Amino acid sequence: FWLKGSAFSQSKRARATTATMQNDEGKIVDLYLPRKCSATNRLIPAKEHGACQLNVGQVDENGQYTGDFYTFALAGFIRKRGEGDSCLNRLFHEKGLLTFSR
């Protein structure tokens, strides 16, 4: 049996607090970066399965993809309320990707 204050548990805690994720260049990186809803600026939890993320690519005048894109994330509760289309229309209009002229 292990005691709460034993040397094993203390060394295990010390290793857990000093362990960091580093890439090949030695920079500290995290495994999870939280997303924010583009429509409401709320954080999207990691376990929310109703959220979606869209990458909208930029094209030139010939219709060729330029390699640039805009990223939009929508939370699940926006989609559940049926406001996803209107929120995306507003976001596209703010970025200049959609016009409402006749």
Side-chain angles (χ1 to χ4, degrees):
F1 83 124
W2 296 100
L3 296 175
K4 189 172 186 178
S6 69
F8 174 75
S9 65
Q10 289 174 356
S11 65
K12 187 176 177 182
R13 274 184 288 190
R15 278 188 304 219
T17 57
T18 59
T20 57
M21 293 293 299
Q22 293 182 350
N23 61 7
D24 295 336
E25 299 169 355
K27 292 183 180 180
I28 297 174
V29 295
D30 289 327
L31 289 175
Y32 173 69
L33 293 174
R35 295 182 295 166
K36 287 179 78 173
C37 178
S38 299
T40 61
N41 288 329
R42 290 184 180 182
L43 283 178
I44 299 174
K47 297 291 184 178
E48 181 173 343
H49 298 292
C52 67
Q53 180 171 325
L54 301 170
N55 290 335
V56 180
Q58 294 291 309
V59 294
D60 60 8
E61 59 275 353
N62 297 325
Q64 296 290 322
Y65 176 60
T66 62
D68 298 328
F69 58 89
Y70 292 109
T71 302
F72 299 100
L74 287 179
F77 77 95
I78 291 289
R79 297 180 63 217
K80 185 177 180 181
R81 290 171 47 186
E83 297 180 3
D85 290 344
S86 60
C87 287
L88 281 176
N89 285 340
R90 179 180 57 86
L91 293 168
F92 291 161
H93 182 69
E94 289 173 0
K95 294 285 186 182
L97 301 172
L98 181 68
T99 59
F100 295 110
S101 61
R102 292 183 182 201

